[in-house]
Amino acid sequence: MKTIPPPCPVPDTGPKYWRSLDQLADTPEFREWAEREFPAGAGELTDPVTRRSFVKLMSASFLLAGVGGLAGCRRPIENIYPFSKMPEGYVHGVPKYYATARPTRRSAVPLLAKSNDGRPTKLEGNPHHPDSNGGTDTFTQASILNLYDPDRAIRFAQDGNNATPEAARDALSKIAADAQSSGGKGLCFLAEQSSSPSRLRLQQALGAKLPQAKWYEHEPVDFDINREAASLAFGRSVKPYFKIDQAKVIVSLDCDFIGSEEDAYINIRRFAKGRKLEKKDDSMSRLYIVEALMSQTGMNADHRLRLPASAVIQIAALLAGEILNQSGQSDASLASAIAKLVDQRTISDLNAQLKPTDAKSARKWSADFINKWAAECAQDLLRHRGRSLVLAGYRQPMAVHLIAHALNSALGNIDSTVVFHEVPAPKNGNIADLAGALNSGQVDTLVILGGNPAYTAPVDVKWADAQAKAKTVVRLGYYEDESFPAKGWNLPQAHFLESWGDARTADGTIVSIQPLIEPLFGGVTDLEVIARVGGLDKTTPYDIVRETFQAGTHGGEEDWKQFIHDGFLANSAYQSASVRLDASAVTQELASAEAVTVPGKDKLEVIFHRDYRVDDGSFNNNGWLQELPDPVTKMTWENTVLMSVQTAKDLGLYIHNRENNRLMVPLVKITVDGRDVVGPAWIQPGQADNTIGLALGYGRSNTGRVGRNSGYNAYSVRSTRHLHCSIGAKLAATGEKHHLSTTQDHWSMEGRPIVREATLKEFQQHPDFADSLSMEKPTPFAPLYPNPFDEAKKTGHHQWGMVIDLNSCVGCSACMTACQSENNVPIVGKYQVANNREMHWLRLDRYYTGDVEDPQVVTQPMLCQHCEAAPCENVCPVNATTHDQEGLNVMVYNRCVGTRYCSNNCPYKVRRFNFFDYNRRSLEQLQGPVYPTPLTSKSNGEWDLLRWFRDPDRGTKPADEWDMLKLSKNPDVTVRMRGVMEKCTFCVQRIQAAEITQKVKAGASGDVTVPNGSFKTACQQACPAEAIEFGNIADPESRVSQLKAQSRNYSVLEFLNTKPRTTYLARVRNPNPAMPDAYDQPESTVEFKQHNGGSEAGPAEMGAKKGAE
Amino acid sequence: MAEPLSTVQVQQPSGASQPLAIYAPPPELRREPLVQNERGIGWISDAIAGVAEGKTPLWWWIAFLPSVILMTVCFSMILYLMSVGVGVWGPGHPVMWGWAIINFVWWIGIGHAGTLISAILFLLRQRWRTSINRAAEAMTIFAVMCAGIFPLIHIGRIWFGWWLFPIPNMYGIWPQFRSPLMWDVFAVSTYFTVSLLFWYMGLIPDLAVMRDRATSTLRKFFYGLFSLGWTGSNRHWSNYEKAYLILAGLSTPLVLSVHSIVSMDFSVSQLPGWHTTIFPPYFVAGAVFSGFGMVLTLLVPLRRLLKLEDIITVRHVELMCKVTLATGSIVGYAYAMEFFIAWYSGNPYERYAFINRAVGPYAWGYWIMISCNVITPQLFWFKKVRTNMVLVFILSIFVNIGMWFERFVIVVISLHRDFMPANWGYFRPTWVDILTYMGTFGLFFTFFLLFLRFVPIIAIAEVKGVTPQADPHHPLGGAKGGHH
């Protein structure tokens, strides 16, 4: 007799994505079901049954009981279930790649997403996309973690209570029905920006159906000024697209185009392309920048002028004055309007502020420094007509953008370095208009599509109050955050990897967004909500996108498949529009430009800037980005109040202070337009005096476990009138101290030739300048024992090596996040970062050289150098780190006992140690400095040790976190436990995958050498600048070998004879010798000279001398 | 001829008693006796054995209870460390070794004096060693025990610590013999084993004394068990002396090797400040210096508390002060030489490492080290200082502090600013670091105080051997038909 167990009930709520038995076991239904097994089994005993069936039953019961943790005296058994029906072509363990895209504000990042057994684990740029090389940015790399964020909105909520998805959809239908009857009167939408053709189509359909419904858009960091300014300047709705690689001279007017502007990763690619040097006669572009804050672009500039953001217009006008006059073809009224903007008194005031206090740096300064700077810069632009480019940053007012367009027009750059794309002008109001409508009671139904307006809206809008005034609020949100409606609906938003959609990238190419996984928590997309509220026929996102595709291309099934497969629609890019500057419109607009006020120490200029890590706050709960050091400040886990050295001195702030190994800085209160906010003060070398930088996106009052208590909220002092910049702020120390965590404490390179630099001229004269900075290498004689690698090397099929081009690297940190995602690198929390225990395998070292007020900045990606004579290997007592025959310094986690000697002996300090069981710590524990022991701590009302004993793998993580965490890991990379050392492996899993593929392909032919360029390491793949090259150095044809053969190639600390496999190509700066701040040698070289005998000879001359010998 | 020092009655074979005048030796030969006040050998036995036999003095309890509490703290901290991770300590990039390794080297250094006194001084016929060798050896053993804890618990996965031993296993994986940590395992375990054997061997005749004097069955049983049937026969003594000499010979190279090898943990690496060839001799000198410092710290108060001033005399203390002075000067020379070589090498990284020691963020640590290790011992040039027990005690504490800071300077200051400025950081210990270190004092003193109460703290037999009575040529000594 066979006992059939009752069917396993499927829970109505809760996760639907992972149906492993052990998870289900935790639901009450399952437990009940499992328990019901026993009476049935017990009943068997009294029945005259065979022994066999009893034993069968009992063993099944025990199995289930064990799995359920009901009789948990053993470790839980985890079963691997095979597919009952194998998908066609599926090979278990081999990841699949799908094309998709990450939508951004008015653009998108084309992607290839890696899927392991049905869950996305890594995002890579789509290299086939016409405007991509496969590189991405940090946000994209980290966005996959948002998918598995245990704190995301996981439920449909009505008035804060759980509700079913069906009820939510009914509510939307009701709104739709009501709107139908009133023609949409009183129905308002508040959306984030989007480039989706489908959304545009839906919006139009909605407008047709509900003519009275109103559409508003809100972006706290809004790049639309580019389109607005271009539309104004050229008299039609166009948007600029910059071909930075075509420009030989680039002038940035406070434009952080390789940092915080939209589509920076494309700009980085193009910028790096314009600066690639292969041979000594190659030319490279020159970058000038005028800016207030030290930005990534500023870090990479050849000439940088620090001025308050509000004064940038003066430089723009000075440049325009020179250029418009000399180009000879400009409109006289425009020229005079621009000339009127120049105020020599303001300029001389600013010039006075620029005067350095110490005589050493004063050599560059003169009484008309700014004028000279602008004049020479203008001359350089004029010399490169048609091959130059002037860019204006999104924080700059309209006037600066218009001047930039006028300059580009006068210089003949239009259609050469900048093209204009015709785009539809959005018809929508802004959030202030909507708040007005709400406050006057005109809004019955408010539909919020994404975003977090209660947090990001300008403070004077008082959005939270306004939002509550709508009769019905439906909000689609990724988190249950500040904008979570206490009354009304909150719908969980689907992640882009869970939803169908489409978008247009910067060049206009239409990209498909296809889901890689069912919505984990049943989230919905904005397309669906619009369609439902609008009462449209098709409400599923797939149908909507499909219909849009159909309408746009009239393509058939095969075209659609092609579109989904490729991830983009070929030849769908915008056509460049031919434009002519509308001088009169520009002249008219310039007349209304505000006069410049020079900020002083009691009327400071406050600049609200987009954060390099959490964007506008949307990535606030993303641990990878929170722990990613800011590319400029190297600060983690929070934002700081940035100011220059001189400003801090003027304000009487002593910043760099250590107390008990904690970086303790004064908390300061900044008062802007009558409102104040308190944040930790921090010095940013190179920032303009009397300016204060406040990064947006932190200080959230209602966020997840990661973002909690991180930073201060700059939005709380940001008002509609002063969205980007406000003059007249006051700053006062509160007398309190605040603890900061930075990953790099020391600013200076101390004259050591770690990052090597030269000017273009020096490079042309002495292409081997990098080598000439090397220290004398001792000749190894009578070694104690031969290096075992020398013998092993002979048996390797490949010899792996890496080259990093410091001339291309801009320090964007995409590689760091890519590495973190690829290699399951854990986050450690603010206090652990303060103890220098961050786990990044790849880090970006940033050094300031020269004058602290006006430094030159260099960045250097630093990762395991895979030394051939690795100092870490011979000191490990247990052979846990050894060399393989292909030149990888491999780390055997299983064998490591954690003496940490390898790290001490590593001159590059690239090894990372698991001081705690970071992978099993709960997110709550990111906060604390000292962690509880499982022996004593209590949580969930249970003695922790017991739980740890029952499920040691989970550690102290709550179930939700643990389940999400498991999904986010790369199954090809070991998750390291506590007490072991780890480090960059050169992505050994990718090497192995490539080698296995090649071996399979080779078959009997025996050609097992992996072809060049058939795979990339994660950092290399993510790098938009193509600064990282990896490959087989045994093959002279490989790109990496060719780069290593270049004259700029050098290894860091070569004198130690470690023979690193990772080498660097020295950086080259391209200063203009006519500039007042020209330099013959980069500051780092000057410092090197000072530290090495102070001889007048620079590296170039030294190289020459060496050659002469 | 001057007046005789004294006159003693010498019994003639005939039974008649005859006065014998004893004259003082000429001034150039005059030495203070190693046992003062012409104590008889019976008194010596009583005085030394009495420490372990008498009623437990109050001061012992006052010292013992906090020691036990501290020892418990030590073990609690280790438990905490093991259950959570090494992260409860201070290390992080770039200082991956912190107090654990400092404490390890410090305790090992302290452990040097015992074997040096018992082995090298024995071979060099320094008879004054007899009064202090037992206690110094015990100190060595307990110090090495304290030291031995740290390398084990400082590793990330303590439960795999045995992988450092060359134990044949089914994976066929051996430790890495190129690693100095490996050599450390051998050096320290050998040193500990030999020191323990040597100490125990020397104890056997005295344990027999204790056995013979024992009044309770329990004591009799245990002393009897550990004295291995010692009867004091000539054959026993003959074997004993030979074995003692062999062990002394074996221990002598160990005294030099163990700290040389510990120093190689540093000098084999390539970190500026570690990568120096001067380390082995300099570490040995430092170890002897710190070992004698600790012996002084322990014995100066003990001789008073245990009323053993006649056996551990001022002369002993003076001699130890002189060793301290000599080794302290070597250490001072080594410090100077390190600086010279750093400058002379012309290597900017080396130069910076040493300049950073003196003027960097940890300059306070460096100058504590210099003042304690270089300036303090120089005071021992003065006899007034050497003979002032309070001063000697205080200075010996300075030596201990200085030597701890020497290791701090080497471990932390070298690591915290190495090759690449981007890595530079600052190290700070946590409360767990501090309590673990304090806890090892508890462990040390618990054992040492138990040693005081159960084992003769001075080698009874050997001290008797250096009394005038033991010298056949001495008027008081020799087989002159008397008995004792």
Side-chain angles (χ1 to χ4, degrees), chain A residues 660-661 744 746 748-750 752 754 775 785 788 835-837 843 845 847 862 871 873-877 879 893-901 903-905 907-909 911-912 915-916 921 930-931 933-934 977-980 1053 1055-1056, chain B residues 79-94 96-97 154-157 159-160 163-164 173-176 178-182 264-265 269-270 274 347-349 352 415 417-426 428 431:
Chain A
N660 292 330
N661 194 30
Q744 189 179 345
H746 203 78
S748 163
M749 209 151 58
E750 299 290 326
R752 300 178 175 186
I754 289 169
M775 262 174 62
Y785 35 76
N835 284 341
N836 305 326
R837 289 173 182 171
R843 61 171 202 262
D845 291 344
Y847 299 103
M862 189 43 71
E873 287 173 14
N874 67 325
V875 297
C876 174
N879 270 322
Y893 306 126
N894 277 347
R895 181 68 181 165
C896 178
V897 298
T899 65
R900 309 189 290 287
Y901 196 174
S903 173
N904 283 344
N905 207 24
Y908 312 97
K909 292 282 178 287
R911 295 182 148 259
R912 302 290 172 186
F915 279 96
F916 292 110
R921 277 170 189 280
V930 170
Y931 296 98
T933 146
M977 76 174 301
R978 109 177 202 215
V980 302
L1053 304 176
F1055 69 97
L1056 292 173
Chain B
L79 196 64
Y80 178 56
L81 171 93
M82 293 198 320
S83 66
V84 187
V86 208
V88 299
W89 285 348
H93 262 125
M96 278 292 188
W97 285 349
H154 101 286
I155 65 173
R157 302 201 293 174
W159 49 99
F160 289 132
W163 284 355
L164 271 81
I173 303 173
W174 286 90
Q176 228 247 90
R178 291 187 296 166
S179 169
L181 286 189
M182 190 69 254
M264 283 176 196
D265 286 350
S269 81
Q270 51 181 340
W274 284 15
N347 182 327
Y349 299 88
Y352 182 81
L415 277 171
R417 289 190 164 183
D418 65 340
F419 295 99
M420 297 179 49
N423 298 322
W424 291 3
Y426 196 85
R428 185 188 70 124
W431 58 274

Side-chain angles (χ1 to χ4, degrees), chain B residues 22-33:
Chain B
I22 296 174
Y23 295 97
E28 66 271 22
L29 290 182
R30 206 174 291 167
R31 273 194 173 177
E32 274 189 55

